[in-house]
Amino acid sequence: MRLLFVVALLAAALRVSASEGDFAALTKGVSEIAAPGAPGNLCVFGAEAFVVVAGKEGKAQAPVVAAARAGKGRIVAFGHTSYLEAGTLAQADTGKFFDNALAWAGGTAKPTLVVPKAKALSDALAKRGFTVAAMPLAQLQPGQVLVLSAHSLADADVPVIAKFISAGGGFITCSTGWGWAQGGRNLANDFAGNQLLAPFGLVFGGNTVSKTSANGFSVGAISPLVHAGNVLAAARGNAKLAKDENAQAAPALTAAAQSLPDNDKVFLPQLRALRSQPGVNTVPSAKSPVKADQLAARVLVSLEGRELEKIPPAQVKAHPAATHFPGAVPADAKRESVAVTVNPRVPGWHSTGLYAAPGEVVTVRVPGELASAGWRIRIGAHSDHLWHLDSWKRFPDVTRTFAVKAAETPVACAFGGLIYVDTPKASDAGEVKVEFTKAVRAPHYVHGKTTLAEWKELRAAPAPWGELETKKIVLTLPASVLRTLDDPVALMKTWDETLDLVADLATIPKDRPRAERIVCDEQISAGYMHSGYPIMTWLDMPPRLVSDAHMRKGDWGIGHELGHNHQIGDWTFEGTGEVTCNLFTMYIIDRLGGTKPANGRSGLPVVAEKFKKYTADGKPDFAKWQSDPFLALAMYVQLQHAFGWDAYKKVFAEYRALPAGERPKSNADRMDQWLVRFSQTVNRNLGPFFQAWGVPVTAPALARVANLPAWPKEEWPGTNGKFE
């Protein structure tokens, strides 16, 4: 038996055995619960706390429901606010699970419930046979069960509810932690829910949790290493864990280190005590990454990350990891005072062409009336957080943002970074002059504004990162690459053409409300690239991004991620999230690079082969179709070749014009509407075609297109033996 079980499990034996009966009571008759929206994780670390239901977070399990004995009382916490909604109780076994939770928390089958601020839920629980009483929190009695979203808690409620629980009350609560933290709020210290729960051994985390079953989360075996207390025991003992165990242990401990309030007096001091271990690497880099098996290092880096968020700018020092990434600023680089004009009509990040050196204060001045306009100053474009990854090749969080609350705002980041003015929403105000003091120049080309003569001077600016900017796209690239670019004019014209093609297919205006952004990074949070604002990719991409010859051919990965940013859910049903985005890729490659979809990497010969194999037994497997993006893409290639891009544009435009009442209400509705709307657009009955591919459209949808002219199999591109 490995040291893991000697150190970790034996150390937690009392915890595990104490929760076995509780776990059984909570999960009796339950095999699956719902996953409303995007549930968040919980962090479980207390001796009387335990995980009840787990989802997936990358390779690891992550708590989505946790419970704890708390003095004489009991707590059950859910990782999404919608668990306290009547509609969620009707899904899978969620209602049964909730009944179990109420009975366990109250110590009797039908305890009296107090459900403030949720009338629909109160009514639903009353229909389920529970007595629901109305009373102030201060009048709660032992044996009652309080059902209340943690998002509804005020700071003053915390001691009142804590006293009620400890005296023998039950508490059912919920939070979407990552959602609550949007907008720069600190989940560890600003969230009353975590202030309340932390003394009882659990808190809400800031990550999302993925499903483990068709409808949500399976109820089943949970690794002991989901419990951060068990992982700490392993870390203290320098336990040697297997690779899969490390993949589970590291995120559990990291999440706790990030989510515990500063005033926690039980678990946080134990984590900080790991600083006494010698030889711990807290300076992650590409050459010396911090890996999942380095548990003490993971904790200490996590603790350092949370502390860096709170340090006042005047006390910030350069972090040793900044030299590795994003990079150092030469000591002799000129620190300048520069005024930058910002257009508030454009929301999002406004590039300044300036850089904050690691650990150095930059003073930002704005007109006084903007002190309460919600503006923020961002240092750093590398906004991906890497805390969930098995290996950290850079510090997991290298950016900082500062709210503009006065005419003068000092800002600083331990890692340095490009400086941005972040405007939360479009404003009708005129252009605003923002002044920066002690900033460093960065290579910055603005298409249509920066002359070639200016660029040849600007590209030599000393900052380690810079940008190429148009009104439609901003590329954030290492300065070393930008310094090799003699003439960005043709390149950025090509990029603008690319974005215009995306807009053309998406049927949106070419003049964008804000530019798309692409940022290159040492390490990103997921995949080789991922969509979003900004689109993120790795450091092998910059040479391709600045090659006009390459970009004019169309880059599949870039088109794919731009496609993600422009696909809409109405015409993207389950299984096509990684498919319909590639329509934009193929459109770019077609119109810019001159390669038709029928002749490309997913051309008609490929389509024919995939269709033949897929339908060989006469029983198309839609689950297989959904799981293979390029198999599914074959169907879309056939439609494009037969009916052209204009058909897609007409359908997309139709969806954009739909009133709210006509938009798809379910996944089945999305498939049905796609069949009907595309069929009507091309004036062909595509029902047999959809059925041949195994897409489960309904009989009513098939009936709606049955009167249209047939589209016989002999006309299906590729599958008819014709590739022209």
Side-chain angles (χ1 to χ4, degrees):
M1 189 173 287
R2 292 198 307 272
L3 186 58
L4 162 66
F5 294 97
V6 176
V7 175
L9 296 187
L10 288 182
L14 292 176
R15 179 185 311 111
V16 173
S17 62
S19 68
E20 284 178 354
D22 296 332
F23 181 89
L26 285 163
T27 59
K28 185 177 180 181
V30 180
S31 60
E32 181 188 43
I33 69 167
N41 68 314
L42 290 104
C43 308
V44 183
F45 53 89
E48 297 296 326
F50 56 98
V51 183
V52 187
V53 182
K56 296 291 290 184
E57 187 181 328
K59 300 176 184 178
Q61 290 182 309
V64 73
V65 184
R69 286 180 175 266
K72 296 179 180 179
R74 299 177 181 184
I75 298 168
V76 181
F78 295 81
H80 199 285
T81 54
S82 292
Y83 281 111
L84 298 193
E85 293 179 0
T88 305
L89 299 184
Q91 300 174 33
D93 302 323
T94 314
K96 173 62 177 173
F97 182 84
F98 206 82
D99 290 349
N100 291 348
L102 293 170
W104 179 81
T108 184
K110 296 290 183 180
T112 297
L113 312 181
V114 178
V115 191
K117 305 179 183 180
K119 186 177 185 307
L121 179 62
S122 294
D123 294 343
L125 293 173
K127 289 180 180 178
R128 299 180 75 86
F130 292 92
T131 299
V132 182
M135 64 182 64
L137 296 180
Q139 296 179 16
L140 290 167
Q141 299 296 314
Q144 294 177 332
V145 178
L146 173 65
V147 183
L148 180 64
S149 167
H151 291 198
S152 301
L153 291 172
D155 291 342
D157 298 331
V158 171
V160 177
I161 297 174
K163 183 179 179 181
F164 159 70
I165 296 170
S166 296
F171 184 43
I172 308 295
T173 191
C174 63
S175 169
T176 315
W178 65 265
W180 185 92
Q182 297 297 301
R185 295 189 289 187
N186 186 288
L187 195 63
N189 295 310
D190 299 339
F191 185 36
N194 280 355
Q195 294 290 332
L196 172 60
L197 295 182
F200 301 118
L202 67 163
V203 290
F204 294 103
N207 301 327
T208 58
V209 181
S210 302
K211 294 179 180 179
T212 59
S213 67
N215 297 307
F217 302 104
S218 297
V219 174
I222 298 170
S223 167
L225 295 173
V226 180
H227 194 295
N230 293 342
V231 183
L232 179 60
R236 282 171 167 169
N238 293 311
K240 185 69 175 177
L241 307 183
K243 185 177 180 180
D244 61 329
E245 292 168 338
N246 281 313
Q248 177 60 68
L253 207 55
T254 299
Q258 294 172 319
S259 305
L260 282 162
D262 286 344
N263 59 9
D264 175 64
K265 296 180 175 59
V266 178
F267 201 67
L268 196 56
Q270 297 180 58
L271 296 178
R272 288 171 173 155
L274 293 174
R275 288 170 174 162
S276 63
Q277 292 193 8
V280 178
N281 175 26
T282 58
V283 186
S285 67
K287 292 183 178 180
S288 184
V290 172
K291 299 180 179 180
D293 61 353
Q294 298 169 282
L295 293 178
R298 302 278 293 201
V299 170
L300 297 184
V301 170
S302 299
L303 291 174
E304 194 166 4
R306 63 180 284 155
E307 290 165 2
L308 288 172
E309 291 181 7
K310 302 179 296 181
I311 297 176
Q315 299 176 21
V316 172
K317 297 180 180 180
H319 195 282
T323 302
H324 304 293
F325 190 87
V329 172
D332 61 353
K334 186 178 180 181
R335 274 62 172 173
E336 301 185 44
S337 295
V338 181
V340 176
T341 299
V342 173
N343 180 5
R345 293 182 176 87
V346 178
W349 302 3
H350 294 256
S351 300
T352 64
L354 301 173
Y355 199 93
E360 295 187 14
V361 175
V362 175
T363 302
V364 185
R365 297 179 181 86
V366 302
E369 63 268 22
L370 294 176
S372 59
W375 285 31
R376 302 182 71 84
I377 304 299
R378 163 176 285 277
I379 300 179
H382 302 98
S383 55
D384 267 12
H385 294 175
L386 312 181
W387 300 109
H388 62 289
L389 298 181
D390 290 345
S391 179
W392 298 334
K393 297 179 181 180
R394 65 160 171 84
F395 201 91
D397 183 0
V398 294
T399 67
R400 281 195 74 179
T401 61
F402 299 84
V404 176
K405 297 180 178 180
E408 185 172 292
T409 304
V411 299
C413 177
F415 304 93
L418 288 165
I419 303 173
Y420 303 90
V421 178
D422 189 356
T423 55
K425 57 184 179 180
S427 166
D428 292 332
E431 292 186 337
V432 176
K433 185 175 288 186
V434 182
E435 298 177 354
F436 299 86
T437 302
K438 295 187 177 180
V440 176
R441 293 275 187 181
H444 186 209
Y445 171 82
V446 181
H447 192 57
K449 180 179 179 181
T450 308
T451 68
L452 281 180
E454 290 171 333
W455 171 243
K456 289 178 180 179
E457 182 178 346
L458 282 170
R459 67 179 176 172
W465 286 83
E467 294 185 318
L468 303 173
E469 178 179 359
T470 80
K471 292 181 179 180
K472 300 175 183 187
I473 188 73
V474 182
L475 308 177
T476 305
L477 303 161
S480 58
V481 173
L482 292 173
R483 291 176 188 129
T484 68
L485 183 61
D486 294 324
D487 186 354
V489 175
L491 170 69
M492 300 318 292
K493 284 183 178 178
T494 297
W495 273 102
D496 274 359
E497 285 183 60
T498 300
L499 272 296
D500 285 349
L501 287 170
V502 172
D504 187 37
L505 183 60
T507 65
I508 60 174
K510 292 180 180 180
D511 292 333
R512 297 169 171 271
R514 69 177 184 186
E516 297 284 339
R517 288 182 173 271
I518 300 175
V519 175
C520 302
D521 200 331
E522 180 72 67
Q523 187 179 14
I524 66 176
S525 60
Y528 180 66
M529 297 183 187
H530 70 71
S531 59
Y533 184 81
I535 292 169
M536 300 295 302
T537 187
W538 295 68
L539 288 180
D540 62 340
M541 278 297 294
R544 283 177 270 176
L545 301 183
V546 299
S547 169
D548 186 54
H550 174 78
M551 294 310 303
R552 288 210 70 82
K553 295 177 182 177
D555 184 279
W556 187 278
I558 293 297
H560 179 93
E561 303 306 340
L562 287 171
H564 274 309
N565 282 2
H566 291 80
Q567 68 188 161
I568 62 174
D570 288 349
W571 45 259
T572 301
F573 49 87
E574 289 179 10
T576 63
E578 295 298 325
V579 181
T580 60
C581 58
N582 286 325
L583 292 170
F584 295 88
T585 307
M586 294 189 296
Y587 189 64
I588 295 166
I589 293 173
D590 180 350
R591 296 300 171 87
L592 195 63
T595 300
K596 301 291 182 184
N599 302 321
R601 62 187 291 182
S602 294
L604 292 184
V606 175
V607 168
E609 184 64 23
K610 287 184 176 293
F611 184 82
K612 181 180 179 181
K613 290 182 178 179
Y614 178 62
T615 59
D617 61 359
K619 298 179 180 178
D621 184 349
F622 187 61
K624 182 179 180 181
W625 187 94
Q626 289 181 300
S627 66
D628 185 344
F630 284 97
L631 173 64
L633 185 62
M635 179 178 175
Y636 291 82
V637 172
Q638 288 179 295
L639 292 172
Q640 191 283 326
H641 188 69
F643 305 110
W645 287 118
D646 282 348
Y648 276 104
K649 293 177 190 178
K650 289 176 182 177
V651 175
F652 290 166
E654 183 177 324
Y655 273 102
R656 289 193 178 277
L658 287 179
E662 295 182 27
R663 296 191 178 279
K665 304 297 192 298
S666 65
N667 189 57
D669 198 14
R670 283 192 286 273
M671 288 186 284
D672 281 355
Q673 288 205 31
W674 182 247
L675 164 66
V676 173
R677 297 186 188 282
F678 211 104
S679 294
Q680 291 173 343
T681 295
V682 301
N683 195 36
R684 292 288 188 276
N685 176 8
L686 302 181
F689 176 71
F690 274 60
Q691 290 176 306
W693 278 107
V695 181
V697 289
T698 67
L702 291 168
R704 289 181 64 186
V705 300
N707 63 327
L708 297 174
W711 194 40
K713 187 174 181 179
E714 291 75 28
E715 296 181 12
W716 299 355
T719 56
N720 60 3
K722 298 179 182 179
F723 305 110
E724 299 295 332

